[in-house]
Amino acid sequence: MRRCCRESRRAGGRENCRRSCRETRSGRAGARPERTGRDGRRRPRGSAVTTASRPRLLDALPSPGYDRMMEHSREVHFPRGTRIFEEGSSADRFWIIRSGTVLLDMHVPGRHAATLETLHSQDLIGWSWLFPPYTWHLGAGAVTAVGALEFDARPVRELCDEDPPFGKALNHCVAEIIGGRLQAARKRLLDLYGPQGSGPAP
């Protein structure tokens, strides 16, 4: 007979024994530690600790290059109003937006900065990190609070050199983005400063 039953019988009979055993089993079940992530934060029991879902932007990248690239990434957050980078500054990182809105802008002498494009979830922030002289051609600012996946540029460039199929796929992906953004910038600048556009006040 279990010790809890023997003690409960002496204290008050068979019903006390059953109740004591139920409480003992319940106490053992509730003693399991909560799951924690790598950051030490508590997670609900039963939830898996997994990596972030794969951004659509990177779907075309082959493995294992993709997996090695993700080793140089981390989750970051920018408060509303943050200048993520300025035109002409060093392009040593890039980002893929998880949530929020980012504006790309360009300095125009004698005028306010011209807003060229609005970026949203899954969009790439920045491409100047991939090509010399590795300086930003535009500026970027967070319109809302922004969550993003941040990558270190240099190790990703080195990975492109070490893994030619991966490098070709990444360069092709970024080239398509550049083409689309150049078209968008051209239209926007024509709207602002073309013959039919008044442009913002100086």
Side-chain angles (χ1 to χ4, degrees):
M1 185 179 296
R2 294 180 180 177
R3 180 180 177 181
C4 66
C5 290
R6 289 198 300 270
E7 293 174 350
S8 297
R9 281 181 182 276
R10 286 196 295 268
R14 185 181 300 274
E15 183 58 32
N16 283 348
C17 176
R18 294 195 190 100
R19 184 165 53 251
S20 176
C21 288
R22 284 198 301 269
E23 291 172 353
T24 299
R25 286 194 297 269
S26 176
R28 288 175 180 171
R32 290 181 296 175
E34 296 185 50
R35 293 180 182 269
T36 58
R38 294 180 181 179
D39 56 3
R41 294 179 180 177
R42 295 179 179 179
R43 299 181 184 272
R45 187 175 294 113
S47 66
V49 181
T50 61
T51 58
S53 59
R54 182 167 182 154
R56 292 194 303 271
L57 178 65
L58 306 181
D59 280 346
L61 300 183
S63 296
Y66 167 81
D67 299 319
R68 294 178 61 191
M69 176 179 171
M70 294 304 294
E71 292 174 2
H72 304 291
S73 70
R74 56 194 162 274
E75 294 282 350
V76 297
H77 295 85
F78 299 105
R80 177 183 178 182
T82 301
R83 292 296 294 176
I84 299 174
F85 55 80
E86 297 291 350
E87 184 176 349
S89 61
S90 177
D92 58 356
R93 290 165 290 172
F94 63 97
W95 302 263
I96 295 175
I97 299 174
R98 290 294 196 185
S99 62
T101 303
V102 172
L103 288 185
L104 298 180
D105 54 39
M106 183 180 72
H107 174 69
V108 180
R111 295 178 180 268
H112 297 303
T115 297
L116 300 182
E117 191 169 0
T118 304
L119 306 181
H120 304 283
S121 177
Q122 299 292 332
D123 284 339
L124 173 70
I125 308 176
W127 51 263
S128 302
W129 57 273
L130 191 54
F131 309 104
Y134 310 122
T135 56
W136 295 118
H137 290 75
L138 302 173
V143 181
T144 66
V146 171
L149 196 60
E150 181 180 83
F151 295 83
D152 294 319
R154 177 175 291 180
V156 174
R157 292 196 301 266
E158 292 173 350
L159 178 57
C160 289
D161 294 335
E162 297 167 3
D163 187 341
F166 170 82
K168 180 179 179 180
L170 182 59
N171 275 269
H172 180 75
C173 177
V174 174
E176 286 187 340
I177 292 171
I178 294 173
R181 291 191 180 167
L182 288 175
Q183 285 285 72
R186 177 179 178 274
K187 292 178 180 178
R188 178 62 175 159
L189 290 174
L190 285 174
D191 288 342
L192 290 173
Y193 307 115
Q196 304 301 319
S198 60

